[in-house]
Amino acid sequence: MKSFGILQHSLQHEMDYVSKLSEAGIDLGFDVYRFSPNQHSSHHIQGLKYEPLQKEWVETNFKVPEFIYDRCFHSGSTTKKETAFIRWLKTESNATFLGHGLPGKWEIYKQLKKSPLLNRHIPHSIKLHPHTCAKVLSDLLTEHGKIILKPIIGSQGNGIMLLTQNQDQIGVQINHNGRIFHHTYDKTSSLLKMIRSILKQRDYIAQQWLSLLDQNNQPFDRRVVMKKTSYTTWEEIGRATRVGNPESFVSNLHSGGTIQTDQKLLMSESVFHHAESIISRLSHCVATILEETFSPLFELGLDFGIDRSGKVWLLEANSKPGHKAIRSHQDYYTIPFYYCHSLISERKGVNCYGCNSSIKKG
């Protein structure tokens, strides 16, 4: 039996997904384990093993798995102990990670903006610095009236802010754990004091506001999930529409968004189908560029917006997409294991398959 480990910050996270994943893996000849990075570097680690007969996870000690599927969502709060353990797994153990995580939004933005195809589909963004943010925010608000501030490291929409310029004040909406908090600041010291205090804790980018609303004036986006089905092949696994609450400015499912199945509620059919074809082309372009720059990668979640004119915007690219929106693919739960088989057949990866490839320990 080959061994497959799922690395998670919390072993209570994604229970339904990892259980179905494990059943598929066992059928394909894998022992499946789950473990957290909150432990000391050792070739014997603590975690859970899936027992198919009981259909439950059992506590156990086990050797470092041959393949590791990293499902840790980093928000900037990873401890030194966790960081050291993950670094040890990648550099000192014989494990092969299916993919590395992507860097922050700013590094991704700089790489994707270089593409002539993608450039016009990516919102203009600027990295904020405490000493220059006053001018940056003033210029962007004067030009656009509304701007979005996004944490460079983060997921699930947490920490995103919408700034709206009024006559004498700036309205600020902050998304935190699915709730929208409203604040009002004057245009001078109080807003800048708040922004600079936040920048001391985490890095942000400022981005032009895009009116990405459906026909009911609700925010929406199209989530596309791309996965490697072999060492060299990216495949679109599925896509879904996420619609946010009317009072929200984000559409993330963790922020109260829902899956919309009736596309007629979004926009005219002709505009929608034209946008869909553009999204298909852009998705494969994004996967190719990010793979070339930040390999190895295994899966991507790409978020696209469609404005009222029908123009497509790439809003986000992340390497650990959630699984609530996309589960329609017939081989959804077997893909990670077929990818492992591909690495073996291509002689890529762990030492026991005898190759010093570029994805070694990755």
Side-chain angles (χ1 to χ4, degrees):
M1 295 284 281
K2 294 170 285 295
S3 57
F4 183 94
I6 305 169
L7 183 62
Q8 299 174 287
H9 271 134
S10 170
L11 297 184
Q12 303 304 314
H13 187 58
E14 297 188 312
M15 284 292 293
D16 180 62
Y17 172 63
V18 296
S19 294
K20 291 178 179 176
L21 194 72
S22 301
E23 291 174 355
I26 289 169
D27 289 342
L28 292 171
F30 289 82
D31 284 326
V32 183
Y33 303 90
R34 296 166 63 207
F35 60 104
S36 82
N38 186 30
Q39 51 191 302
H40 296 289
S41 303
S42 170
H43 288 283
H44 284 81
I45 56 182
Q46 296 179 322
L48 305 174
K49 181 181 180 181
Y50 190 74
E51 297 294 347
L53 295 180
Q54 298 95 322
K55 292 187 178 297
E56 62 182 26
W57 295 92
V58 178
E59 291 188 11
T60 186
N61 293 329
F62 50 91
K63 293 182 180 179
V64 174
E66 298 164 74
F67 298 97
I68 294 179
Y69 182 22
D70 184 359
R71 292 296 296 171
C72 288
F73 296 92
H74 302 286
S75 59
S77 59
T78 305
T79 66
K80 291 182 179 179
K81 181 180 179 181
E82 291 171 337
T83 300
F85 179 68
I86 294 173
R87 183 184 302 114
W88 177 85
L89 285 173
K90 291 181 176 179
T91 60
E92 301 297 329
S93 78
N94 287 325
T96 292
F97 279 62
L98 300 196
H100 279 173
L102 285 170
K105 295 179 179 65
W106 181 241
E107 292 301 318
I108 295 172
Y109 171 81
K110 289 192 296 183
Q111 289 299 323
L112 296 181
K113 284 290 284 186
K114 296 176 182 178
S115 165
L117 174 61
L118 296 174
N119 183 284
R120 62 182 297 271
H121 294 281
I122 300 177
H124 176 58
S125 303
I126 300 175
K127 185 178 180 180
L128 292 178
H129 299 279
H131 60 286
T132 58
C133 66
K135 177 172 173 50
V136 169
L137 294 178
S138 176
D139 290 348
L140 288 174
L141 283 168
T142 298
E143 181 179 359
H144 300 290
K146 291 183 178 182
I147 58 174
I148 289 285
L149 305 186
K150 294 181 178 180
I152 287 179
I153 302 295
S155 60
Q156 301 175 349
N158 277 324
I160 294 181
M161 292 184 275
L162 171 63
L163 275 59
T164 304
Q165 179 167 275
N166 301 314
Q167 289 185 345
D168 300 315
Q169 296 177 317
I170 304 293
V172 179
Q173 299 179 51
I174 303 176
N175 182 52
H176 181 69
N177 292 332
R179 298 179 61 190
I180 303 296
F181 295 88
H182 297 259
H183 304 277
T184 302
Y185 297 89
D186 62 42
K187 290 186 177 181
T188 54
S189 59
S190 64
L191 175 65
L192 292 176
K193 183 178 180 180
M194 183 272 289
I195 296 295
R196 284 169 176 156
S197 68
I198 289 177
L199 292 178
K200 290 180 181 178
Q201 303 172 44
R202 59 199 304 195
D203 293 327
Y204 268 77
I205 58 172
Q207 196 172 81
Q208 68 182 95
W209 164 255
L210 301 169
S211 182
L212 305 173
L213 304 174
D214 66 12
Q215 296 185 111
N216 293 322
N217 288 320
Q218 294 175 287
F220 80 97
D221 64 21
R222 291 287 279 163
R223 160 56 66 92
V224 175
V225 173
M226 306 284 291
K227 288 181 184 282
K228 293 281 277 301
T229 53
S230 75
Y231 178 63
T232 57
T233 306
W234 282 100
E235 181 180 334
E236 180 181 324
I237 303 305
R239 64 180 74 177
T241 299
R242 305 181 302 180
V243 179
N245 294 323
E247 65 274 11
S248 179
F249 61 94
V250 294
S251 53
N252 306 69
L253 299 185
H254 286 86
S255 301
T258 57
I259 303 298
Q260 174 63 261
T261 57
D262 187 358
Q263 311 304 345
K264 294 179 181 178
L265 297 177
L266 300 178
M267 61 191 63
S268 71
E269 187 174 353
S270 60
V271 171
F272 178 74
H273 286 303
H274 179 66
E276 286 287 271
S277 64
I278 295 175
I279 287 174
S280 296
R281 188 165 70 252
L282 297 181
S283 295
H284 283 86
C285 180
V286 172
T288 299
I289 291 173
L290 294 182
E291 174 75 16
E292 290 173 351
T293 311
F294 303 115
S295 65
L297 297 173
F298 166 60
E299 58 187 349
L300 291 169
L302 308 178
D303 298 337
F304 292 94
I306 308 171
D307 66 23
R308 290 288 175 84
S309 71
K311 182 172 180 178
V312 173
W313 296 91
L314 174 63
L315 307 176
E316 190 111 3
N318 70 77
S319 55
K320 296 171 185 175
H323 299 280
K324 292 182 179 180
I326 311 292
R327 294 192 182 182
S328 59
H329 194 281
Q330 61 179 357
D331 300 320
Y332 191 79
Y333 297 104
T334 61
I335 288 173
F337 305 101
Y338 283 125
Y339 183 58
C340 292
H341 282 306
S342 174
L343 297 182
I344 296 170
S345 66
E346 292 285 341
R347 300 181 64 80
K348 310 292 184 183
V350 295
N351 280 343
C352 61
Y353 299 116
C355 181
N356 294 318
S357 79
S358 63
I359 71 161
K360 172 74 170 63
K361 302 189 190 301

